[in-house]
């Protein structure tokens, strides 16, 4: 998740105001909504404190039974239990100072934590995917794959997903493409599909630079899109 630094649109303003409020009181709330129909009306709220964390990204670790939250300000990932216990899971001081953990994803089967690292201006340009081994005692870093974009000066590596072979996919919100990073940390450009830029964008609007953002991996093939004509036929047959 990338929240642009300045705001003019109402929705962005709300986000910024919420971020500031969050920052001031160093206070963050999670709403965990159970989708089980029998529990549909119930939710569980976790209130926790972590000074200057500025939560930016999160994922759930089913085996450790806690959330993993990436910081906007620090080179850290913390765990947050349902009882609101906060622990520093990873503090990687070899990353550039004040860099952001923009996206985080847990490869549960390999016990590998994938973290997208991005430095916002005025910090020097930095975009990378880091992988940490959660089985090792000090959560050893497995790789730090630098992510470059030959077409823009300042790409934004943003969100990350992975497939069953362990390849990771990272969105570039400025260059509008997807990087692929192999389990050994070898980066390449995976897709520059014209679909990513097919929707017209008014370049004069604030934050219009921010394109491809979140990413998920689906094992299922998407069903082919039904032609409208076919749908009409189905309706007429029903009549
Ligand atoms: C990092 O942030 C701190 C606190 O805001 C600031 O004092 C420091 O200059 C920053 N470092 C860099 C390299 O920007």
């Amino acid at each position: 998740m990338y929240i642009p630094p300045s705001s003019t649109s109402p929705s962005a303003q709300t986000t910024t105001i919420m971020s500031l409020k969050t920052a001031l009181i160093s206070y963050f709330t999670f709403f965990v909504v159970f989708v089980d129909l029998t529990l549909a009306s119930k939710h569980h709220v976790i209130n926790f404190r972590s000074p200057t964390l500025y939560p930016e990204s999160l994922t759930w670790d089913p085996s450790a039974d806690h959330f993993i939250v990436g910081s906007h300000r620090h080179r850290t990932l913390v765990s947050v239990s349902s009882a609101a216990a906060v622990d520093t899971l990873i503090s990687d001081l070899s990353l550039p100072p004040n860099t952001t953990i923009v996206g985080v994803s847990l490869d549960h089967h390999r016990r590998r934590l994938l973290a997208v690292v991005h430095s916002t201006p005025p910090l020097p340009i930095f975009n990378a995917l880091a992988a940490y081994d959660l089985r090792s005692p000090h959560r050893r870093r497995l790789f730090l794959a630098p992510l470059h974009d030959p077409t823009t000066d300042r790409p934004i590596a943003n969100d990350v997903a992975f497939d069953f072979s362990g390849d990771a996919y990272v969105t570039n919100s400025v260059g509008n493409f997807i990087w692929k990073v192999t389990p050994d940390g070898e980066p390449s450009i995976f897709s520059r599909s014209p679909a990513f830029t097919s929707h017209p964008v008014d370049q004069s609007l604030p934050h219009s630079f921010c394109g491809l953002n979140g990413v998920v991996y689906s094992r299922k093939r998407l069903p082919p899109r039904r032609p409208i004509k076919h749908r009409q036929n189905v309706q007429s047959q029903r009549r």
Side-chain angles (χ1 to χ4, degrees):
M1 173 179 65
Y2 174 76
I3 301 171
S6 59
S7 63
T8 39
S9 74
S11 65
Q13 256 167 14
T14 314
T15 312
T16 309
I17 289 161
M18 281 172 66
S19 302
L20 283 174
K21 199 176 158 195
T22 308
L24 285 171
I25 58 173
S26 305
Y27 190 76
F28 195 62
T29 303
F30 281 133
F31 291 90
V32 183
V33 182
F34 294 94
V35 286
D36 188 313
L37 284 179
T38 57
L39 293 171
S41 61
K42 296 181 183 172
H43 60 261
H44 180 93
V45 179
I46 305 170
N47 295 309
F48 75 93
R49 282 164 190 270
S50 180
T52 74
L53 177 71
Y54 295 86
E56 175 65 31
S57 48
L58 90 158
T59 190
W60 168 251
D61 184 343
S63 66
D65 222 18
H66 60 210
F67 286 95
I68 297 175
V69 184
S71 170
H72 187 89
R73 282 276 191 90
H74 305 286
R75 299 159 279 187
T76 56
L77 288 135
V78 299
S79 64
V80 180
S81 77
S82 57
V86 183
D87 271 316
T88 300
L89 201 63
I90 288 158
S91 173
D92 188 344
L93 298 181
S94 71
L95 296 175
N98 300 358
T99 203
T100 300
I101 309 292
V102 239
V104 62
S105 195
L106 175 72
D107 186 344
H108 175 50
H109 295 288
R110 293 176 183 79
R111 296 302 295 154
R112 237 174 32 139
L113 188 66
L114 299 165
V116 180
V117 188
H118 169 72
S119 292
T120 53
L123 295 172
I125 298 165
F126 186 81
N127 291 278
L129 180 71
Y132 300 93
D133 179 7
L134 295 183
R135 286 192 185 116
S136 65
H138 300 291
R139 286 128 195 161
R140 178 176 70 94
R141 194 172 74 199
L142 297 164
F143 64 73
L144 182 68
L147 299 172
H148 299 293
D149 179 346
T151 56
T152 59
D153 324 336
R154 197 108 212 187
I156 299 179
N158 203 330
D159 196 16
V160 58
F162 58 88
D163 67 16
F164 288 89
S165 60
D167 289 323
Y169 302 92
V170 181
T171 52
N172 176 355
S173 299
V174 173
N176 288 310
F177 65 69
I178 297 175
W179 285 284
K180 174 178 167 175
V181 181
T182 67
D184 299 329
E186 202 57 54
S188 61
I189 294 173
F190 171 69
S191 175
R192 283 182 184 276
S193 168
F196 301 156
T197 48
S198 62
H199 190 80
V201 174
D202 181 349
Q203 299 292 340
S204 66
L205 291 175
H207 316 307
S208 57
F209 66 88
C210 195
L212 267 193
N213 198 319
V215 62
V216 290
Y217 174 76
S218 169
R219 190 162 39 160
K220 284 188 191 160
R221 262 169 173 266
L222 291 176
R225 219 195 286 178
R226 259 201 229 166
I228 289 167
K229 214 174 164 188
H230 177 68
R231 271 189 218 154
Q232 282 168 343
N233 288 345
V234 171
Q235 278 170 1
S236 58
Q237 276 162 19
R238 279 193 193 136
R239 273 190 210 121

